[in-house]
């Protein structure tokens, strides 16, 4: 049994006000290419199809194009809702689509949905478990004491009555963790305080493969057969070093598993560059990579620069973020507030800049800095 594992499409997402729809369509085109060449039996989408519960018209159109292309290839599609999805909207017309071998599982209704596929070694059972919260599972399974996400997933799996002697694949969208193993998380994921949404990966250890969604970086959870495939596109600068991919899984006889990543190449990569303005705009640096990549720029100039964003965008059109890193941004606000001589040497602008850095955890943007200067100048005139 060969299947493609995808998750966290987040169709319709914008990053720093830049729409990712073109990048998503480009990634989906590569995925369809893999389906045509590798001929998998199924494609699994492990949640967070859309970025919002109420997706835009354009996002719905992109997803419709993806499903239509997959249906043309005659591949089975199995899909669950994630924490970003509206389960009811996502599974609209799902009973009709099941005739086309498109199986959607939205809101939790008492247990995972079971889909059976057959290959030369016999039956493979796919268990579709959408994102669940303790409250929803407690409501449906009132006789059980369910307080945590761990309790909720355990209760849901108990309802499935899985025969672990057979071959079983779980499709789930939760934050699974293994004791002593720190998962790689990114800024674009939902991160509840204190990891309250964590689920013990030991609960799903007996599945032959666990196709997980929720974390955006490709990784295993304690065991090779428990995997997050990651998102197909970079959705924050905490992901800029990640190599995005889809995952192809081959499940042979019981106990025989092969997993391989399939690279997804973006139209424009997401990168971080650091240095002085003049150096970053030099031909030497510009020749090293695509200047139209999505960039986070960190300027290290000590002197103040007039309109740094305007100058940079003259050569780097897709700058998403501009930060500064120099002696001023590294001042310890706690130290200077107890030193009268240091305070007296700083201008009002510098003092406010240090206050802003301490309060917000980042330096002012060029636009914010301009507003502060304008206000201070107006105060001086008065």
């Amino acid at each position: 049994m060969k299947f493609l594992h995808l998750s966290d499409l987040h169709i319709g997402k914008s990053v720093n006000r830049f729409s990712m729809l073109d990048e998503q369509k480009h990634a989906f085109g590569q995925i369809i290419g893999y389906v045509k060449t590798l001929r998998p039996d199924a494609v699994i989408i492990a949640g967070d199809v859309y970025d919002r519960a109420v997706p835009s018209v354009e996002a719905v159109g992109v997803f419709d194009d993806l499903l239509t292309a997959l249906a043309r290839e005659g591949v089975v599609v199995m899909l669950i809702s994630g924490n970003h999805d509206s389960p009811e909207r996502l599974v609209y017309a799902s009973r009709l689509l099941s005739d086309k071998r498109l199986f959607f599982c939205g809101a939790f209704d008492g247990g995972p949905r079971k889909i059976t596929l057959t290959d030369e070694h016999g039956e493979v059972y796919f268990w579709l478990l959408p994102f669940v919260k303790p409250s929803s599972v407690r409501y449906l399974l009132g006789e059980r004491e369910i307080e945590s996400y761990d309790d909720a997933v355990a209760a849901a799996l108990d309802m499935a009555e899985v025969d672990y002697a057979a071959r079983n694949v779980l499709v789930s969208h939760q934050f699974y963790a293994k004791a002593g193993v720190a998962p790689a998380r990114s800024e674009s994921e939902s991160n509840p305080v204190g990891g309250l949404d964590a689920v013990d990966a030991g609960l799903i250890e007996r599945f032959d493969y666990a196709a997980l969604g929720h974390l955006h970086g490709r990784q295993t959870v304690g065991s090779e057969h428990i995997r997050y495939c990651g998102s197909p596109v970079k959705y924050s600068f905490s992901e800029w070093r990640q190599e995005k991919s889809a995952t192809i899984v081959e499940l042979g006889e019981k106990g025989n598993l092969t997993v391989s990543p399939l690279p997804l190449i973006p139209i424009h990569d997401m990168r971080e560059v650091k240095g002085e303005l003049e150096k970053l705009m030099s031909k030497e640096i510009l020749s090293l990579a695509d200047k139209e990549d999505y960039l986070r720029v960190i300027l290290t100039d000590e002197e103040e620069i007039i309109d740094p964003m305007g100058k940079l965008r003259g050569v780097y059109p897709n700058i998403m973020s501009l930060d500064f890193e120099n002696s001023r941004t590294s001042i310890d606000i706690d130290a200077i507030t107890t030193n009268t001589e240091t305070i007296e040497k700083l201008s009002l602008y510098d003092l406010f800049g240090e206050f802003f850095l301490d309060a917000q955890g980042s330096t002012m943007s060029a636009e914010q800095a301009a507003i502060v200067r304008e206000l201070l100048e107006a105060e001086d005139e008065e």
Side-chain angles (χ1 to χ4, degrees):
M1 181 69 62
K2 185 190 298 184
F3 55 90
L4 201 61
H5 174 194
L6 307 171
S7 77
D8 296 271
L9 309 184
H10 286 279
I11 302 173
K13 186 174 182 63
S14 292
V15 180
N16 292 70
R17 298 182 296 279
F18 283 74
S19 170
M20 293 289 105
L21 274 177
D22 285 343
E23 291 290 346
Q24 291 166 338
K25 288 187 283 187
H26 184 69
F28 299 160
Q30 294 172 75
I31 289 167
I32 297 301
Y34 285 129
V35 170
K36 290 180 177 179
T37 56
L38 299 176
R39 308 309 306 173
D41 300 288
V43 171
I44 288 171
I45 304 177
D48 279 358
V49 173
Y50 294 116
D51 190 56
R52 298 179 180 181
V54 183
S56 66
V57 173
E58 293 80 8
V60 173
V62 170
F63 183 48
D64 181 61
D65 289 343
L66 175 61
L67 285 180
T68 301
L70 291 172
R72 283 174 182 156
E73 297 304 318
V75 65
V76 174
V77 176
M78 288 175 272
L79 177 155
I80 62 171
S81 63
N83 57 298
H84 278 251
D85 297 311
S86 164
E88 294 77 14
R89 287 184 173 88
L90 188 63
V91 301
Y92 173 76
S94 59
R95 284 177 290 182
L96 292 173
L97 292 173
S98 63
D99 292 338
K100 300 292 184 181
R101 303 204 301 170
L102 304 177
F103 301 102
F104 294 1
C105 187
F108 178 73
D109 60 1
R113 182 179 181 183
K114 180 180 179 182
I115 306 296
T116 305
L117 300 183
T118 305
D119 64 6
E120 65 270 24
H121 303 296
E123 295 178 329
V124 178
Y125 302 112
F126 291 83
W127 300 92
L128 311 187
L129 178 62
F131 176 73
V132 296
K133 294 181 178 180
S135 57
S136 60
V137 178
R138 186 166 54 244
Y139 174 77
L140 289 166
L141 308 177
E143 71 278 5
R144 295 189 57 150
E145 185 174 332
I146 298 168
E147 300 297 332
S148 66
Y149 280 84
D150 216 72
D151 295 338
V153 172
L157 293 176
D158 285 347
M159 298 302 294
E161 299 182 350
V162 180
D163 175 11
Y164 289 105
R167 292 179 296 164
N168 295 280
V169 175
L170 174 68
V171 184
S172 179
H173 189 99
Q174 304 284 159
F175 174 37
Y176 289 95
K178 189 81 171 178
V181 179
R185 305 200 71 169
S186 76
E187 296 169 358
S188 55
E189 302 158 3
S190 299
N191 297 324
V193 176
L196 296 177
D197 59 341
V199 177
D200 179 11
L203 291 173
I204 58 176
E205 184 72 35
R206 296 174 68 190
F207 284 91
D208 295 274
Y209 184 78
L212 305 181
H214 189 50
L215 300 190
H216 290 185
R218 185 179 73 221
Q219 59 195 289
T220 59
V221 187
S223 302
E224 288 298 306
H225 68 291
I226 302 177
R227 287 180 175 261
Y228 288 99
C229 64
S231 61
V233 174
K234 296 177 183 180
Y235 290 133
S236 77
F237 281 100
S238 61
E239 302 172 34
W240 76 274
R241 295 183 186 275
Q242 296 177 3
E243 295 181 357
K244 296 301 183 179
S245 62
T247 299
I248 188 72
V249 181
E250 294 191 55
L251 190 62
E253 294 178 293
K254 183 77 174 177
N256 187 350
L257 178 72
T258 303
V259 182
S260 303
L262 302 173
L264 297 173
I265 309 303
I267 302 172
H268 302 306
D269 201 1
M270 187 176 286
R271 297 187 289 118
E272 184 178 284
V273 295
K274 179 179 178 180
E276 295 182 348
L277 178 68
E278 185 176 343
K279 183 69 172 177
L280 295 181
M281 296 179 67
S282 67
K283 290 182 179 179
E284 176 190 359
I285 298 298
L286 288 171
S287 64
L288 295 178
D290 185 354
K291 63 183 181 181
E292 294 193 5
D293 284 345
Y294 301 112
L295 296 182
R296 178 189 181 214
V297 178
I298 304 174
L299 290 180
T300 60
D301 300 79
E302 287 296 330
E303 69 278 6
E304 292 187 31
I305 303 169
I306 299 174
D307 191 21
M309 182 65 87
K311 292 175 179 177
L312 285 164
R313 280 205 168 132
V315 291
Y316 298 110
N318 293 326
I319 294 178
M320 288 184 164
S321 172
L322 175 61
D323 294 301
F324 297 86
E325 190 174 300
N326 51 38
S327 59
R328 284 175 293 159
T329 62
S330 62
I331 294 175
D332 185 348
I333 188 68
D334 293 325
I336 69 169
T337 53
T338 58
N339 187 325
T340 304
E341 286 187 21
T342 303
I343 293 174
E344 290 176 349
K345 292 178 182 178
L346 293 175
S347 67
L348 284 175
Y349 174 83
D350 287 333
L351 283 170
F352 183 83
E354 296 312 319
F355 168 76
F356 186 93
L357 177 63
D358 184 59
Q360 299 295 325
S362 63
T363 58
M364 291 184 287
S365 67
E367 292 81 4
Q368 290 168 330
I371 292 170
V372 172
R373 288 185 183 282
E374 184 178 329
L375 290 172
L376 291 174
E377 288 172 3
E379 181 70 20
D380 287 341
E381 290 175 3
E382 292 179 5

